[in-house]
């Protein structure tokens, strides 16, 4: 057992990871400012795991408050850092907001880790660091392209900051997890993706349309160079993704006094188009999804999916949940929160 800080631990991926950490006997301290999450998620975690983790309502950009949490929990052994703004479109509209939150927050985390001798970091990175890859599937060795959005650029910058920090922090080791497009919800239906306002991600937009919250789904572009003209992504089940974070955490905890930065892609290794996602959701749930084609969205890339061989081999991890089951879990979550 180890004490793990999870920033953004009441968010979508963070909450599922907290559940899996608790299942693996770790003690969790959640840091979250509730800017894109709800305090009720804590009850969902408790209902699933039987444990309500420590919760600190802190903004990671407030360095003094962040430092006070590390001072209170002097036995922290690792940090899993999720807390960041993540909407591509919003980052284009308000780039400074993203640079301030995502980059300054990352620096504050690293400075607190160094000050309080916390040796291990798992960073929530993204396939956006690859931009539009020259070759598919994309491997960890693929050249980093110019970011297509300020959001993607903040992930690139944070990776560079972490890599540089290793050389000035002699007992520091880190794993950068570049994951693709997380979807779905916990099988219990007690936690899931709960965006505030209009969803920027595809699946919650689909489920909200199925629930009648949205009149129709907007498909951003049908003129891409793909088989059906819609953009292609690698959609990974959030619980499979959470498992990978636990495996990565345990891998770091076995290390000591190392200056190492490992990078792993987390995806399914298969690309699925937007129109294919709509069709699969309809087949798995029986719900018809009205949609309309609109212009491409600024910052979006055409297609990307992962080469996952490194994670499969080195971490012993593989995404194994079928797309139909994943979409059914998302619909189960949507029905519960809408009381359908």
């Amino acid at each position: 057992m180890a004490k793990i800080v999870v920033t953004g631990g009441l968010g979508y991926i963070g909450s599922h990871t907290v559940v899996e950490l608790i299942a693996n006997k770790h003690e969790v301290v959640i840091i979250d400012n509730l800017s894109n999450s709800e305090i009720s998620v804590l009850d969902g975690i408790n209902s699933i795991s039987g444990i309500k983790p420590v919760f600190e309502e802190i903004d990671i950009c407030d360095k003094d408050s962040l430092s006070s949490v590390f001072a209170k929990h002097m036995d922290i052994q690792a940090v899993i850092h999720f807390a960041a703004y993540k909407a591509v479109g919003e980052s284009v509209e308000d780039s400074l907001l993203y640079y301030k939150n995502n980059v300054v927050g990352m620096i504050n985390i690293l400075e607190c880790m160094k000050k309080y001798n916390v040796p291990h970091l798992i960073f929530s990175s993204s396939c956006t660091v690859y931009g539009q890859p020259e070759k598919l599937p994309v491997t960890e060795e693929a050249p980093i392209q110019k970011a297509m959005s300020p959001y993607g650029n903040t992930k690139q910058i944070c990776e560079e900051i972490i890599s540089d920090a290793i050389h000035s922090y002699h007992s520091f080791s880190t794993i950068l997890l570049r994951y693709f497009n997380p979807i779905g919800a916990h099988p219990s239906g007690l936690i899931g993706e709960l965006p505030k306002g209009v969803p920027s991600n595809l699946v919650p937009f689909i489920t909200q349309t199925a629930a009648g919250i949205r009149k129709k789904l907007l498909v951003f572009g049908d003129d891409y160079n793909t088989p059906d003209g819609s953009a292609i992504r690698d959609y990974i089940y959030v619980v499979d993704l959470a498992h990978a974070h636990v495996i990565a955490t345990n891998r770091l905890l076995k290390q000591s006094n190392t200056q190492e930065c490992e990078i792993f892609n987390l995806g399914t290794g298969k690309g699925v188009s937007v129109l294919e996602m709509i069709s699969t959701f309809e087949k798995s749930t029986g719900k018809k999804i009205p949609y309309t084609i609109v212009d491409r969205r600024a910052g979006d890339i055409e297609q990307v999916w992962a080469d996952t061989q490194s994670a499969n081999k080195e971490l012993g991890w593989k995404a194994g949940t079928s797309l139909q089951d994943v979409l059914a879990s998302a619909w189960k979550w949507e029905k519960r929160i809408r009381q359908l």
Side-chain angles (χ1 to χ4, degrees):
M1 174 189 282
K3 181 176 284 189
I4 314 295
V5 163
V6 181
T7 70
L10 294 185
Y12 176 42
I13 307 171
S15 60
H16 288 81
T17 300
V18 168
V19 166
E20 299 304 320
L21 287 168
I22 293 172
N24 280 263
K25 310 302 181 184
H26 293 301
E27 183 180 353
V28 177
V29 177
I30 294 173
I31 294 176
D32 201 304
N33 69 355
L34 302 178
S35 65
N36 195 34
S37 58
E38 301 288 345
I39 191 63
S40 60
V41 175
L42 199 58
D43 293 327
I45 292 170
N46 186 25
S47 296
I48 295 168
S49 66
I51 293 174
K52 181 174 284 190
V54 173
F55 170 59
E56 303 280 359
E57 187 175 347
I58 294 295
D59 188 326
I60 60 170
C61 287
D62 181 347
K63 187 178 177 182
D64 289 341
S65 296
L66 182 64
S67 182
S68 71
V69 175
F70 279 78
K72 187 190 301 184
H73 302 279
M74 294 296 290
D75 53 345
I76 298 167
Q77 296 182 45
V79 173
I80 304 179
H81 180 38
F82 292 108
Y85 295 147
K86 62 180 182 62
V88 169
E90 182 184 55
S91 77
V92 174
E93 296 169 2
D94 194 349
S95 60
L96 293 182
L97 176 71
Y98 273 65
Y99 287 113
K100 180 179 180 180
N101 184 79
N102 294 6
V103 178
V104 173
M106 179 78 264
I107 293 170
N108 287 347
I109 290 288
L110 289 169
E111 288 183 341
C112 285
M113 290 180 66
K114 187 172 184 179
K115 179 178 180 180
Y116 293 100
N117 298 311
V118 179
H120 305 303
L121 172 70
I122 294 171
F123 177 57
S124 166
S125 193
S126 168
C127 65
T128 58
V129 302
Y130 298 117
Q132 179 58 65
E134 296 175 353
K135 295 181 180 180
L136 290 170
V138 61
T139 70
E140 291 85 352
E141 288 73 39
I144 301 300
Q145 305 286 348
K146 178 176 172 56
M148 301 287 286
S149 68
Y151 162 70
N153 200 30
T154 66
K155 291 298 183 182
Q156 290 183 1
I157 291 168
C158 285
E159 285 198 2
E160 291 171 356
I161 291 170
I162 292 167
S163 179
D164 289 341
I166 289 175
H167 302 293
S168 60
Y169 184 1
H170 298 294
S171 60
F172 183 56
S173 59
T174 182
I175 293 178
L176 311 180
L177 297 178
R178 293 174 178 166
Y179 35 85
F180 285 63
N181 292 71
I183 60 172
H186 193 270
S188 66
L190 293 171
I191 56 175
E193 189 169 7
L194 188 60
K196 293 189 176 181
V198 179
S200 60
N201 293 338
L202 176 61
V203 170
F205 210 131
I206 289 176
T207 58
Q208 287 189 16
T209 303
I213 307 301
R214 309 290 164 192
K215 290 184 178 180
K216 56 186 176 181
L217 173 70
L218 302 181
V219 176
F220 296 101
D222 66 346
D223 58 348
Y224 287 108
N225 184 27
T226 62
D228 63 19
S230 65
I232 289 177
R233 299 289 183 271
D234 187 337
Y235 295 97
I236 176 176
Y237 185 32
V238 68
V239 176
D240 289 340
L241 188 60
H243 285 151
H245 285 78
V246 175
I247 293 170
T249 300
N250 292 338
R251 182 181 179 91
L252 287 181
L253 291 171
K254 294 176 182 178
Q255 301 175 2
S256 61
N257 299 319
T258 60
Q259 291 177 273
E260 187 172 6
C261 178
E262 294 184 290
I263 301 171
F264 296 103
N265 285 340
L266 298 181
T268 66
K270 179 182 178 182
V272 180
S273 76
V274 173
L275 294 179
E276 286 177 317
M277 287 288 285
I278 296 169
S279 175
T280 304
F281 180 86
E282 291 177 338
K283 290 176 182 177
S284 64
T285 65
K287 297 291 293 185
K288 191 71 177 175
I289 304 298
Y291 67 88
T292 187
I293 307 295
V294 297
D295 291 340
R296 296 185 185 188
R297 184 171 54 182
D300 279 349
I301 63 172
E302 182 172 272
Q303 54 186 321
V304 65
W305 62 91
D307 183 319
T308 63
Q309 292 183 76
S310 182
N312 298 160
K313 181 180 178 180
E314 296 298 324
L315 295 180
W317 169 90
K318 188 173 184 179
T321 310
S322 73
L323 183 59
Q324 290 86 349
D325 287 345
V326 175
L327 292 174
S329 75
W331 180 229
K332 180 178 180 180
W333 159 250
E334 188 72 44
K335 287 192 294 183
R336 190 187 78 80
I337 61 177
R338 305 299 175 186
Q339 298 182 335
L340 299 177

